[in-house]
Amino acid sequence: MRILVTAALMSLLTVPALAETRTYKTDAGHTEVRFGWDHAGVSRQHGEFDRAEGVLAIDPADPASATLEVTIDAASVSTGVGPLDDHLKNADFLVVEEHPTIRFVSTSVTPTGDTTADVAGEVTLRGVTVPVTLQVELIHQGPHPVAQFIDYYKGDWLGFHASTEIDTAPFGFALPVGPLTIDISTEMRAQ
């Protein structure tokens, strides 16, 4: 009998723990979505979206099962030049009155290293959805270093940097701008 109980306990100890998926949300004050494009071969232009929200569901023991959804307020586009911002918001480009958000929804996560992964998904802009892959690097995981000074930062945090290039042709912009480079930096807090 003792052998059976010991064998049963040993088998329980070798069963993998149940997956623990955690949900993280972007911190608005520490999320940046920057983009850049070639301005007719004359200069490199840059801008950003000031408002973006993301939700990541991830089991740290199984990052390939993670899901990510990001929503960007298209009207929050900012280049530092008011007339350019207005032009980007109109029918030539973002059409923010008809399409107020830009969305990314992941379809798969492929780890490429200990702290890196390719996150494939679909981006929807101007009502057009195209596939895109983000190259993602995990910068931080765990308690936030600032938590010792400011209570707001208590809890479990993740920090990421992601980048990709998006062909603008499928979106039907009035003017050809070529590919957009996208860089995203974010801190996310566990919910």
Side-chain angles (χ1 to χ4, degrees):
M1 181 70 153
R2 183 181 303 168
I3 294 174
L4 287 176
V5 171
T6 303
L9 285 174
M10 292 302 290
S11 68
L12 284 176
L13 292 175
T14 59
V15 172
L18 295 176
E20 183 185 334
T21 299
R22 298 204 65 185
T23 300
Y24 293 82
K25 291 188 179 178
T26 53
D27 180 64
H30 299 95
T31 298
E32 298 177 353
V33 179
R34 295 176 304 279
F35 60 95
W37 71 97
D38 184 323
H39 185 246
V42 176
S43 64
R44 187 84 183 143
Q45 300 292 300
H46 297 89
E48 66 181 270
F49 291 97
D50 294 331
R51 290 186 299 274
E53 296 179 350
V55 177
L56 171 70
I58 186 169
D59 173 5
D62 183 18
S65 68
T67 60
L68 174 66
E69 291 188 27
V70 178
T71 302
I72 298 169
D73 179 350
S76 73
V77 66
S78 175
T79 62
V81 179
L84 178 55
D85 295 349
D86 292 341
H87 191 199
L88 291 174
K89 293 175 190 178
N90 77 21
D92 286 345
F93 295 102
L94 298 175
V95 197
V96 298
E97 289 187 13
E98 293 177 35
H99 305 285
T101 60
I102 300 166
R103 289 196 33 90
F104 173 83
V105 178
S106 67
T107 55
S108 69
V109 176
T110 305
T112 57
D114 291 341
T115 60
T116 58
D118 287 342
V119 179
E122 297 178 328
V123 66
T124 302
L125 169 67
R126 287 178 54 125
V128 176
T129 301
V130 299
V132 66
T133 299
L134 301 172
Q135 288 76 46
V136 179
E137 179 182 8
L138 174 67
I139 305 296
H140 174 82
Q141 180 178 5
H144 199 292
V146 180
Q148 61 185 322
F149 307 110
I150 303 171
D151 286 345
Y152 172 81
Y153 291 100
K154 292 190 178 188
D156 186 33
W157 289 76
L158 297 175
F160 291 101
H161 177 262
S163 61
T164 194
E165 189 171 279
I166 298 175
D167 179 10
T168 59
F171 300 113
F173 290 167
L175 300 171
V177 296
L180 291 177
T181 57
I182 309 291
D183 284 299
I184 303 167
S185 294
T186 189
E187 293 180 17
M188 303 183 88
R189 183 184 356 202
Q191 300 300 299

